[in-house]
Amino acid sequence: MKPINVGLLGIGTVGGGTFTVLKRNEEEITRRAGRPIRITAVADKNLELARKVAGEGVKLTDDAFAVVADPEIDIVVELIGGYGIAKELVLKAIENGKHVVTANKALLAVHGNEIFAAAQKKGVMVAFEAAVAGGIPIIKALREGLSANRIQWLAGIINGTTNFILSEMRDKGLPFAEVLKEAQALGYAEADPTFDIEGIDAAHKVTIMSAIAFGVPMQFEAAHIEGITALDSVDIAYAEQLGYRIKLLGISRMRPEGIELRVHPTLIPAKRLIANVEGAMNAVVVHGDAVGATLYYGKGAGAEPTASAVIADLVDVTRLHTADPEHRVPHLAFQPEQVRDLKVLPIEEVHTSYYLRMRVDDKPGVLADITRILADSGISIEAMIQKEAPEGASQTDIIMLTHLTIEKNANAAITKIEALPVVQGKITRLRMESLQ
Ligand SMILES: NC(=O)C1=CN([C@@H]2O[C@H](COP(=O)(O)OP(=O)(O)OC[C@H]3O[C@@H](n4cnc5c(N)ncnc54)[C@H](OP(=O)(O)O)[C@@H]3O)[C@@H](O)[C@H]2O)C=CC1
Ligand SMILES: N[C@@H](CC=O)C(=O)O
Ligand code: NA
């Protein structure tokens, strides 16, 4: 059967990996796709690099619009990144009746509603397995493997750069800046690494998973986002003492009144499998009403792990494209008409439990004052440690773990506790998730 022709936009880390794996595993991939998949055109700003990777026999250009206009191309693979020209190129490819495969989670989280609507109108497919958790087939799991379930919640370590940083800081005591540089050198980080360390990349990804799991539009602008730059290493140590690990989690939960959509450092019981996901690895837990908890684990970043997901989409789209167009169910395109009008809840309405660290005067009655305020706010305490005041010091740290409460109750209690004369400065508050 004649090959399907692919135009590749951007032959950097992931683009290069895609080219290499497609070549190395050509026979297997062809068998699975039912026909050969050929990259026949590549666009990149750096033509010398492109030729080095692509070799002879591939059309090269520094004008990506020439590729999306090429009548010979059936599928466009967008691996440039960002919200700018990538959006124009994807929409133009759709307008020209081409299927799209992309790893661009930023683009889909912010402009996905427009892109999927255009794809559905044109009857083409937009596949994006590589956009979330790299090589882990979590999109296919949510869209197909778990399609019998009402998804109740999902939570994941979905940014390899920050997980690598937290692992190295905890295990080797290395400083943040040094580990970030190493993550960049390893090709994990985004072009702008603030997207990684401020939680934006993870928020892009959990927005996409939430939309598929709960059948809602992309609502990235409503997500609550905290990164790891404000995290204090003393809290990493205290969490360990209390039997917890701190991970940057993307969380989305279905509630009767709406959806929780949040990214923040989170204490997870150390005995949970996901608490032991280290380095650049990713993991996602999805809880469905029929199947219960399911766990997906693998490399979330890097050239070939991400290329694995890009090529999985190429195989899926090739098979569907080859099927009779009359009966083609573009299951890969996001079905805009199916979305429900469920809004994202403000962070003040989320239900979670808390790790609280406060610096207090070391004198009788302090604990009673604090626990009274928590009790009056309907917040009960799960565990507590009071550190011995260092020799001659008059202040000490109290660490408390609360049971489940609503964020606005915790906010009110924290404000009252901080107002106590015996409490010095601001309370450090981290959310906790049992993930059960
Ligand atoms: N790296 C990873 O592990 C993962 C990345 N992703 C996503 O994959 C996408 C690509 O990431 P990655 O491969 O790491 O990025 P890279 O920066 O390594 O590659 C992007 C390539 O696109 C080229 N490029 C930029 N602008 C244009 C343009 N206008 N026309 C043609 N080529 C252009 C770049 O050239 P130049 O360098 O000269 O600008 C570069 O070669 C991003 O959306 C990213 O978020 C998803 C999962 C994992
Ligand atoms: N910068 C991202 C790359 C993959 O999406 C990460 O660190 O996970
Ligand atoms: Na994936």
Side-chain angles (χ1 to χ4, degrees):
M1 190 178 270
K2 92 178 177 64
I4 199 150
N5 295 327
V6 173
L8 177 61
L9 313 182
I11 192 160
T13 305
V14 181
T18 299
F19 215 97
T20 307
V21 174
L22 260 181
K23 243 183 166 34
R24 187 173 72 230
N25 298 342
E26 185 177 4
E27 196 182 324
E28 276 299 87
I29 293 166
T30 300
R31 184 173 61 80
R32 289 170 178 150
R35 58 195 286 194
I37 297 173
R38 292 259 191 287
I39 295 179
T40 53
V42 169
D44 198 286
K45 292 195 294 188
N46 182 337
L47 290 178
E48 202 182 315
L49 161 91
R51 180 58 70 200
K52 213 156 75 185
V53 175
E56 298 309 319
V58 174
K59 283 185 282 186
L60 292 188
T61 174
D62 58 5
D63 175 13
F65 286 99
V67 174
V68 298
D70 183 338
E72 298 298 306
I73 296 294
D74 303 304
I75 306 173
V76 167
V77 175
E78 183 274 310
L79 295 173
I80 288 173
Y83 309 113
I85 189 167
K87 180 186 175 189
E88 291 173 57
L89 287 162
V90 164
L91 287 174
K92 183 54 87 181
I94 291 168
E95 187 188 314
N96 294 342
K98 302 181 191 310
H99 306 298
V100 171
V101 170
T102 181
N104 195 337
K105 50 273 183 153
L107 177 67
L108 295 182
V110 175
H111 299 295
N113 299 330
E114 179 187 356
I115 288 170
F116 296 124
Q120 200 210 30
K121 193 156 166 263
K122 192 74 183 176
V124 296
M125 292 172 269
V126 174
F128 47 94
E129 183 60 77
V132 181
I136 303 173
I138 185 64
I139 298 297
K140 200 164 181 73
L142 284 170
R143 190 164 42 207
E144 297 169 37
L146 297 174
S147 49
N149 289 267
R150 285 172 188 270
I151 306 297
Q152 288 146 330
W153 55 267
L154 57 88
I157 298 169
I158 46 183
N159 180 268
T161 300
T162 45
N163 204 53
F164 176 75
I165 290 170
L166 290 174
S167 300
E168 296 289 289
M169 282 175 71
R170 192 196 61 236
D171 294 345
K172 299 178 186 167
L174 295 173
F176 179 92
E178 183 183 323
V179 187
L180 173 58
K181 271 208 182 65
E182 194 184 342
Q184 288 175 293
L186 290 166
Y188 297 152
E190 294 302 304
D192 174 357
T194 53
F195 274 54
D196 297 290
I197 59 178
E198 295 303 349
I200 299 161
D201 179 63
H204 287 149
K205 293 161 175 175
V206 72
T207 294
I208 295 169
M209 289 197 286
S210 177
I212 302 171
F214 304 124
V216 293
M218 302 289 173
Q219 301 181 70
F220 172 71
E221 70 291 342
H224 174 80
I225 308 173
E226 294 172 37
I228 63 169
T229 46
L231 197 53
D232 189 323
S233 52
V234 74
D235 295 312
I236 296 175
Y238 279 147
E240 291 279 318
Q241 284 176 38
L242 287 158
Y244 288 81
R245 283 264 165 94
I246 296 180
K247 294 289 182 185
L248 185 73
L249 274 196
I251 303 166
S252 192
R253 188 190 306 276
M254 172 67 89
R255 294 260 304 285
E257 56 276 42
I259 288 169
E260 295 183 8
L261 186 62
R262 47 196 167 107
V263 168
H264 48 71
T266 312
L267 272 78
I268 309 171
K271 61 176 181 285
R272 292 280 178 273
L273 285 171
I274 193 169
N276 298 286
V277 170
E278 302 299 351
M281 304 309 282
N282 281 196
V284 181
V285 183
V286 183
H287 202 281
D289 67 333
V291 71
T294 52
L295 176 68
Y296 308 84
Y297 170 81
K299 289 186 178 169
E304 292 205 6
T306 312
S308 165
V310 171
I311 296 168
D313 278 341
L314 282 172
V315 168
D316 259 3
V317 171
T318 298
R319 291 162 65 94
L320 275 156
H321 176 79
T322 308
D324 167 7
E326 290 307 305
H327 300 93
R328 181 190 299 161
V329 176
H331 76 298
L332 291 169
F334 190 81
Q335 310 298 359
E337 80 286 355
Q338 290 172 344
V339 295
R340 294 184 288 180
D341 185 21
L342 268 174
K343 287 286 171 270
V344 170
L345 297 169
I347 191 65
E348 293 74 20
E349 295 301 328
V350 304
H351 290 179
T352 186
S353 43
Y354 296 89
Y355 160 100
L356 305 174
R357 171 171 62 85
M358 54 201 89
R359 176 57 58 96
V360 301
D361 293 346
D362 190 14
K363 55 171 68 166
V366 169
L367 214 45
D369 294 347
I370 293 167
T371 50
R372 168 55 41 217
I373 290 172
L374 289 171
D376 291 350
S377 305
I379 299 172
S380 60
I381 297 166
E382 179 198 307
M384 189 193 72
I385 46 178
Q386 178 167 355
K387 305 302 286 176
E388 273 305 303
E391 193 58 37
S394 62
Q395 293 175 350
T396 183
D397 275 349
I398 291 179
I399 294 95
M400 289 181 173
L401 304 184
T402 76
H403 284 300
L404 209 59
T405 185
I406 299 181
E407 178 111 341
K408 60 190 173 191
N409 291 356
N411 292 344
I414 288 170
T415 303
K416 288 181 189 147
I417 295 170
E418 285 174 340
L420 290 174
V422 291
V423 175
Q424 308 310 320
K426 288 288 180 196
I427 290 175
T428 296
R429 168 252 300 272
L430 294 169
R431 298 178 189 88
M432 296 170 42
E433 291 291 335
S434 68
L435 298 187
Q436 254 187 330

